Amino acid sequence: QMANLTLVSSACDVVSTAYASAKESHPYIRSVCDAAEKGVKSVTVATASCVQPVLTTLEPHVAAASECASKGLDKLGEKLPLLQKPVEQVISGTTQLVSSRVADAKDAVSS
């Protein structure tokens, strides 16, 4: 549910694009990232088989925690409409607000 929030998904897209761009632009970074990705995949596969029995045992508790988190995210989304905006729009709005405040302060100091 959290990944479906516009702000979160657009931020992930921005990070993913920057990561891909860095890998494309810098061969050394690409080799380090490729090695890290392979390591993460190996650890994930190895961990999945060990963790599965524990997850099965904890499934009712995980479901209850998930339900609680879902309700909390719903309330958070209602109270913070910012979460429904893409990251570019949030940055633009913040930049405009800061510029406006700086201009106001500059005018106050000038007068």
Side-chain angles (χ1 to χ4, degrees):
Q1 185 178 355
M2 190 162 181
N4 290 332
L5 293 171
T6 305
L7 182 64
V8 174
S9 65
S10 68
C12 289
D13 290 343
V14 168
V15 170
S16 178
T17 301
Y19 178 78
S21 176
K23 279 180 67 174
E24 290 291 322
S25 303
H26 306 286
Y28 296 118
I29 291 177
R30 181 180 324 127
S31 62
V32 170
C33 290
D34 288 343
E37 289 170 15
K38 286 178 187 173
V40 168
K41 286 178 186 174
S42 298
V43 169
T44 302
V45 169
T47 305
S49 61
C50 298
V51 171
Q52 190 57 49
V54 174
L55 288 178
T56 303
T57 304
L58 295 176
E59 191 171 354
H61 305 293
V62 171
S66 179
E67 180 67 26
C68 182
S70 179
K71 289 177 183 175
L73 281 173
D74 288 343
K75 288 181 183 178
L76 192 61
E78 291 169 10
K79 293 186 185 278
L80 293 173
L82 174 81
L83 295 174
Q84 303 304 326
K85 296 180 181 178
V87 71
E88 294 85 1
Q89 189 176 358
V90 172
I91 290 171
S92 173
T94 303
T95 303
Q96 289 174 357
L97 179 64
V98 169
S99 295
S100 172
R101 297 293 185 231
V102 168
D104 291 347
K106 190 175 169 183
D107 291 344
V109 169
S110 296
S111 62

